[in-house]
Amino acid sequence: MRGTSSSRVLWHWWTVVVAFVSLSFLTTLAAGMTMKYQIYEEDALSTVIGNLAKDMSLNISDGSKTNFRMMKQFNASFIRLREKDGQLTIGERIDREKICKHTMQCLISFDVVSISNEQFKLIHIEVEVKDINDHAPEFPRKESPLEISENAVLGTRIPIDVAMDEDVGSNYIQSYQISVNSHFTIDVLSRADGIKYAELVLMKELDRETHASYVLELVATDGGNPSRSSSTKINVKVKDFNDNSPVFDRNIFSVDILEDAPVGLLLVDFNAVDPDEGLNGEVVYGFGNQVPSEIRHRFSVDRKSGRLMLESPIDFESKKTYEFDILASDLGPNPSPSICKVVVHVQDVNDNAPEITITPMTSVTAGIAYITEAAAKESFVALVTIADKDSGANGDIHCTLYGHNHFKLQQAYEDSFMIVTTSPLDREKIAEYNLTVVAEDLGSPPFRTIKQYTIRLSDENDNAPVFSKPVFEVSLMENNAPGAYITTVVARDLDKGQNSKISYKLLDTYIIGSPVSTFVSLDPATGSLYALRSFNFEVLKQLQLRIQASDIGSPQLQGSAIINLKIVDQNDNAPSITQPALINNSAEVLLPKDAPSGYVITQVHARDADEGVNAELSFRISEGVASVFSINRATGEIYLNHELSYEVYENLRITVTVSDNGTPSLTTAVTINFIIAGSLPSDRNVFRNKIDEETQEGDHSIIIIVVLAGSCTLLLLAIIIIATTCNKRKVDNRGHSHSGKEDAMRQIKIWKGTSYATISAREPHKDSGIGDSDFSDSDSDISGDGLRKDDHQNNVQNGLWACTSECKILGHSDHCWSPTASRINCNLAHSFAKTGSLPRDTLRRENYNQAHIPKTVGLQSVCEKVLHREYDYITSLFTSKGQGA
């Protein structure tokens, strides 16, 4: 039962120890502290432990926004926190023996964040669970047998069962008592692990014949208030005399063993000596009767050899010391065993990696911390707690944070760190951070633990909706049906969730004195714009609409844009005639009887309410005496084609049709009746422009033909001028080269169209090699006679196959210009195609006498151009005969 004394009640009132931890937190994270409380196990649910606001002397008024938030941890369910003032209460039954076992100090640790005026304060809470005496000591057996030789010496110690108590401190076993007897007493001792035990000590010699057995009662009592106790019976049997017992070389063996020692490792090799012979001297080994099963599971001792070995793995973090007895006895009758104590000390090795626990400030999903993107610099994000079960340097840990320089680690207290921000955050730029926490101990070799952690930014409504462009240009054909779809405008909001949901609306404006909402409607969900009425271009040509997009965040943000809605003209208005004045869609116009041809009788004026091509008008005469009248298609002027005759006086009526250029084209017709009047008025220009309407409106192809013809004429004229200039220059050059010499005159007959004309031509002397000759005197050894012999051959080569010897004296005649020129052309073409270039013949230039053909022959100029370009041959070109041939 739990103690209910006044001292217990006074102790139950909490002892609050406030330990301020020196932390250099900046703006949003204030100095941290540790709050320590004490409670008893098994206290009732909802028992108040403490109040953080009061214990920290915080002044919380009704208008303040200070609240407390518990960081979720594995044992936080034992304690509940009231957020408004930080009141701590017991959340569930606390059994100290379950959560702390035999440890002297049992702590429930967790962390609380105090949030006040955008300032975070980390508070480390340690609640010590005090033990109550809710467990009595307990022996492993109700009765235990024990044997002792009648010749046992005084002071002989005999191990007995050890009582266990799950309580600690003063509530643990404090004493052992044995029932009153004349031969035995007990000695209470403590093991290395703090367990108290008793040994039975012989105080008086035994005599088997007098008293063969004893029944003793052993009582274990704890120090609780009230105390608790339990007892066991010890049945002592006195055995017959045995002259010698085995003797160990020492009474206590202390062994150090590493916790990672392999199974089968030899710990101690016992050697107990018995001086007897035979079976009385043969020694066997074993565990003492009081050794618990845990020891027998961890270790083993060989019965014959006495070798103590490791039976199963051991763990320093589970138990640091093992203490037990080893018995050695002979095989003779009535053996008297000897006892030695073994103490095994387990040494720590670095066999445990550091453990990392990350507790976020706010979390919805495991492994992910959330923080608002509006968090200021040095804002608290998560708590990192590290632990290592090893001890010493093996348990010392170095912790590092990797991933992004927007976050850093800041030490909170002994083995805890805080992840805090180092700069302002923006979710629209980086929405999620993947951080890595690395914890490494200082053991050899060191162990390292790596833990990935994700930090997501929660959205704040810090972005207004934005349209794709500030001004939208859209159009709508007039005469639309009411409810016609016009366009859809879309705005984007970079925020997330509710902050990004957009609604649209038209801003109030007036158009032609009426609200804009009577003209168009805007779907608030989609941004689609619809016409509420049928628009008339001739009445309203453009609307300017202002639209607004608003999100539903807090605070609400807006964006706006302008829609310029242009009404597109449709050809829905036929031309209307304004002049001449109409009566029943007809007009009467005076026409002088002596009006000359080309007289402008009148002009039809018309207009169209449409615009653009829909308002471009054309006029034509659709009915009536079209041979007498004509009309200008563009201006509507009506002309008299010829003078009037008396035969047409009675039927002077035409119908004029006015058409626009829309699709489909709309027309209006008017009937004009001409009334014959007197003479022409003297103050009026009665004639139309010299440029005929038909010519103005003629086919564009004629204009193109005329332009091309003119271009060709200019080109031909340029060729003739160039050829004439080149020919003149060539003649001048030849005249200089033959100065001082008389040229022979020759007669040349030229066909002039109807008869031959005879012209005189001077025969040039042969080139002497001076001037522009391509030959030097030493280049040619051919005499003039030789040249004459080869004349005919050269003539044939140059296509002058029809020439005779008369041509050399009189010049070329009609016979040279034979219609068989096609043959010459074929030969020439064949020659050029065959050679690819003209051969250089040093004899060609002087073989023929040049005939001065009139300049009207165009091909002569081509020949001159060839000569002028210093080719070493002369190609005689022929033209066909004149027009009469």
Side-chain angles (χ1 to χ4, degrees):
M1 296 179 62
R2 289 185 293 171
T4 57
S5 66
S6 59
S7 61
R8 160 78 165 81
V9 174
L10 291 175
W11 179 251
H12 185 73
W13 286 100
W14 325 124
T15 301
V16 181
V17 180
V18 181
F20 287 91
V21 180
S22 177
L23 296 176
S24 57
F25 294 168
L26 299 179
T27 55
T28 60
L29 193 58
M33 59 180 62
T34 299
M35 302 293 294
K36 295 184 178 181
Y37 297 90
Q38 291 179 343
I39 63 171
Y40 283 97
E41 65 171 328
E42 304 289 351
D43 274 342
L45 300 182
S46 301
T47 300
V48 177
I49 301 173
N51 187 290
L52 294 176
K54 293 180 180 180
D55 298 337
M56 296 171 61
S57 299
L58 298 178
N59 185 15
I60 300 179
S61 61
D62 294 336
S64 66
K65 296 182 179 179
T66 301
N67 60 2
F68 298 86
R69 183 178 302 172
M70 181 181 288
M71 308 292 288
K72 295 297 181 182
Q73 288 165 326
F74 70 96
N75 56 3
S77 59
F78 293 119
I79 310 296
R80 289 179 181 173
L81 173 71
R82 190 164 64 187
E83 293 189 354
K84 67 177 183 179
D85 59 357
Q87 178 175 286
L88 300 173
T89 57
I90 296 176
E92 65 179 53
R93 176 179 175 270
I94 298 175
D95 186 352
R96 186 186 187 281
E97 287 72 35
K98 286 186 177 179
I99 60 178
C100 297
K101 294 185 179 180
H102 297 290
T103 57
M104 291 301 298
Q105 188 178 36
C106 181
L107 294 177
I108 297 177
S109 301
F110 56 94
D111 296 280
V112 173
V113 175
S114 171
I115 306 171
S116 177
N117 299 325
E118 301 300 327
Q119 200 172 49
F120 296 91
K121 182 181 292 183
L122 181 67
I123 307 168
H124 183 62
I125 309 295
E126 291 182 358
V127 179
E128 182 181 3
V129 181
K130 304 294 290 185
D131 183 49
I132 63 173
N133 194 20
D134 55 346
H135 294 87
E138 185 177 351
F139 286 96
R141 294 178 292 181
K142 295 297 181 181
E143 294 185 10
S144 57
L146 191 148
E147 293 181 349
I148 186 170
S149 175
E150 64 175 334
N151 63 342
V153 297
L154 297 179
T156 300
R157 291 176 174 268
I158 306 170
I160 56 178
D161 288 343
V162 178
M164 301 300 297
D165 193 337
E166 293 185 2
D167 295 324
V168 295
S170 61
N171 295 324
Y172 183 67
I173 297 173
Q174 299 297 317
S175 64
Y176 287 90
Q177 295 176 349
I178 195 169
S179 59
V180 177
N181 66 90
S182 59
H183 289 79
F184 300 95
T185 187
I186 58 171
D187 186 14
V188 179
L189 302 172
S190 294
R191 296 192 320 208
D193 55 2
I195 301 297
K196 289 186 176 182
Y197 66 98
E199 290 182 346
L200 190 65
V201 180
L202 181 63
M203 298 186 300
K204 185 178 178 181
E205 294 180 353
L206 298 173
D207 186 356
R208 181 177 179 277
E209 287 75 13
T210 305
H211 212 292
S213 65
Y214 298 88
V215 177
L216 306 175
E217 183 180 16
L218 181 65
V219 178
T221 306
D222 62 27
N225 187 13
S227 62
R228 294 193 173 198
S229 63
S230 65
S231 62
T232 183
K233 287 184 178 182
I234 303 175
N235 296 318
V236 179
K237 182 180 179 182
V238 180
K239 296 188 297 182
D240 196 11
F241 177 81
N242 189 333
D243 56 349
N244 288 299
S245 298
V247 178
F248 288 97
D249 51 359
R250 50 184 171 168
N251 294 329
I252 299 177
F253 290 87
S254 180
V255 179
D256 292 334
I257 180 174
L258 295 177
E259 63 173 323
D260 62 348
V263 173
L265 178 68
L266 176 63
L267 301 179
V268 180
D269 189 0
F270 296 108
N271 185 20
V273 178
D274 192 327
D276 294 331
E277 295 181 356
L279 293 177
N280 292 334
E282 187 174 345
V283 180
V284 294
Y285 303 89
F287 290 107
N289 296 329
Q290 296 75 29
V291 174
S293 59
E294 179 189 5
I295 302 296
R296 297 175 185 269
H297 176 71
R298 298 291 178 189
F299 306 96
S300 66
V301 59
D302 188 88
R303 176 178 173 80
K304 291 185 178 181
S305 65
R307 295 166 63 90
L308 179 65
M309 293 181 293
L310 184 65
E311 184 70 16
S312 62
I314 54 177
D315 186 9
F316 171 83
E317 288 72 36
S318 298
K319 194 167 185 178
K320 299 176 177 59
T321 304
Y322 297 90
E323 188 171 331
F324 51 91
D325 297 327
I326 296 295
L327 300 180
S329 61
D330 57 35
L331 298 179
N334 302 316
S336 178
S338 297
I339 301 173
C340 77
K341 187 177 294 295
V342 177
V343 180
V344 178
H345 298 281
V346 181
Q347 302 296 321
D348 183 42
V349 297
N350 194 24
D351 60 343
N352 292 281
E355 297 176 356
I356 301 175
T357 303
I358 301 179
T359 308
M361 173 74 177
T362 304
S363 179
V364 178
T365 307
I368 299 177
Y370 289 86
I371 184 173
T372 174
E373 63 174 325
K377 184 179 179 181
E378 299 290 337
S379 292
F380 175 60
V381 180
L383 181 67
V384 179
T385 303
I386 55 176
D388 196 321
K389 294 179 180 179
D390 297 322
S391 60
N394 296 332
D396 294 336
I397 306 172
H398 177 70
C399 190
T400 312
L401 179 68
Y402 298 96
H404 205 284
N405 56 9
H406 283 176
F407 300 91
K408 69 176 182 179
L409 278 182
Q410 192 163 285
Q411 190 162 13
Y413 43 90
E414 186 178 1
D415 289 327
S416 295
F417 300 84
M418 294 177 295
I419 300 177
V420 297
T421 62
T422 59
S423 61
L425 307 174
D426 188 352
R427 189 198 66 83
E428 287 71 38
K429 292 182 179 178
I430 304 177
E432 183 175 290
Y433 296 86
N434 292 314
L435 305 181
T436 302
V437 179
V438 178
E440 184 175 2
D441 61 30
L442 301 182
S444 180
F447 273 88
R448 175 183 297 176
T449 300
I450 300 174
K451 189 165 187 178
Q452 305 290 335
Y453 203 74
T454 300
I455 297 177
R456 288 180 184 170
L457 302 187
S458 57
D459 185 52
E460 292 289 332
N461 193 28
D462 55 350
N463 291 280
V466 178
F467 287 94
S468 58
K469 49 188 175 181
V471 179
F472 294 87
E473 301 288 344
V474 297
S475 60
L476 176 66
M477 187 73 68
E478 67 169 329
N479 302 320
N480 59 284
Y485 170 79
I486 299 175
T487 188
T488 298
V489 291
V490 177
R492 292 185 57 201
D493 194 320
L494 297 179
D495 293 323
K496 186 180 179 182
Q498 296 294 325
N499 297 330
S500 64
K501 291 183 178 180
I502 299 174
S503 61
Y504 303 88
K505 74 172 182 177
L506 281 169
L507 297 180
D508 293 335
T509 55
Y510 285 86
I511 300 173
I512 320 179
S514 299
V516 68
S517 58
T518 62
F519 290 86
V520 293
S521 67
L522 184 67
D523 189 321
T526 63
S528 297
L529 188 67
Y530 299 92
L532 293 180
R533 61 172 66 180
S534 180
F535 290 98
N536 189 346
F537 174 80
E538 290 72 34
V539 176
L540 184 62
K541 294 180 172 56
Q542 181 171 331
L543 292 82
Q544 188 176 78
L545 312 174
R546 292 191 64 216
I547 55 174
Q548 184 182 78
S550 304
D551 58 31
I552 58 176
S554 179
Q556 191 178 57
L557 301 177
Q558 297 87 21
S560 61
I562 294 175
I563 299 178
N564 288 327
L565 175 59
K566 295 181 179 180
I567 307 302
V568 179
D569 183 38
Q570 192 177 35
N571 194 24
D572 58 345
N573 292 281
S576 62
I577 297 173
T578 60
Q579 184 182 341
L582 302 180
I583 300 175
N584 295 329
N585 207 32
S586 65
E588 293 183 350
V589 176
L590 296 177
L591 175 60
K593 62 181 179 180
D594 56 348
S597 175
Y599 175 73
V600 178
I601 305 171
T602 187
Q603 184 177 8
V604 178
H605 292 274
R607 65 179 180 83
D608 196 318
D610 296 322
E611 285 192 358
V613 295
N614 295 331
E616 295 177 0
L617 304 180
S618 61
F619 303 83
R620 65 184 180 87
I621 298 174
S622 58
E623 294 181 7
V625 283
S627 60
V628 179
F629 304 97
S630 60
I631 189 169
N632 189 308
R633 293 178 59 86
T635 64
E637 292 180 339
I638 299 176
Y639 306 110
L640 186 64
N641 287 338
H642 54 78
E643 295 180 359
L644 298 175
S645 61
Y646 292 101
E647 291 79 5
V648 297
Y649 279 1
E650 298 179 355
N651 193 23
L652 294 181
R653 175 183 300 169
I654 62 173
T655 299
V656 176
T657 300
V658 184
S659 304
D660 58 28
N661 287 339
T663 302
S665 178
L666 300 179
T667 62
T668 299
V670 62
T671 300
I672 299 179
N673 298 313
F674 295 99
I675 300 174
I676 304 301
S679 301
L680 287 172
S682 59
D683 58 346
R684 176 180 165 190
N685 181 14
V686 298
F687 297 100
R688 65 178 177 179
N689 296 330
K690 293 182 180 181
I691 301 176
D692 190 48
E693 170 203 1
E694 300 298 331
T695 303
Q696 292 178 355
E697 301 178 4
D699 194 348
H700 292 289
S701 61
I702 298 177
I703 298 176
I704 295 175
I705 293 174
V706 172
V707 172
L708 291 176
S711 301
C712 293
T713 303
L714 292 176
L715 179 61
L716 181 60
L717 180 61
I719 292 174
I720 293 174
I721 292 173
I722 294 172
T724 303
T725 303
C726 293
N727 187 34
K728 183 177 180 181
R729 185 179 300 169
K730 188 67 177 180
V731 170
D732 291 343
N733 291 338
R734 289 186 179 180
H736 288 297
S737 64
H738 292 284
S739 60
K741 297 182 181 181
E742 293 183 0
D743 295 338
M745 301 295 294
R746 62 171 59 190
Q747 300 290 327
I748 301 175
K749 289 184 179 182
I750 301 299
W751 179 257
K752 302 284 286 185
T754 55
S755 62
Y756 287 99
T758 302
I759 61 173
S760 297
R762 184 180 300 277
E763 181 181 4
H765 290 283
K766 296 176 182 177
D767 195 348
S768 62
I770 303 173
D772 62 348
S773 173
D774 290 340
F775 306 98
S776 64
D777 292 341
S778 62
D779 289 337
S780 176
D781 57 355
I782 303 174
S783 63
D785 294 336
L787 292 175
R788 293 187 183 93
K789 291 178 182 179
D790 296 331
D791 270 355
H792 183 68
Q793 182 181 357
N794 291 335
N795 287 340
V796 173
Q797 292 177 354
N798 283 278
L800 302 179
W801 55 273
C803 295
T804 63
S805 58
E806 296 178 355
C807 296
K808 300 177 182 178
I809 300 173
L810 301 178
H812 298 287
S813 64
D814 296 345
H815 189 66
C816 298
W817 314 104
S818 173
T820 58
S822 60
R823 175 181 171 186
I824 299 171
N825 293 337
C826 292
N827 293 336
L828 287 175
H830 176 73
S831 175
F832 280 110
K834 183 175 180 181
T835 60
S837 62
L838 296 177
R840 297 178 58 89
D841 192 345
T842 57
L843 303 179
R844 288 287 175 86
R845 179 172 294 184
E846 297 295 332
N847 285 349
Y848 301 111
N849 295 318
Q850 301 290 331
H852 292 277
I853 302 174
K855 293 180 181 179
T856 56
V857 183
L859 293 181
Q860 177 66 23
S861 64
V862 179
C863 180
E864 294 297 340
K865 289 171 68 177
V866 173
L867 292 174
H868 184 63
R869 293 164 78 174
E870 296 184 357
Y871 290 156
D872 292 335
Y873 54 86
I874 301 174
T875 304
S876 298
L877 302 176
F878 296 92
T879 59
S880 60
K881 289 186 177 182
Q883 294 180 356

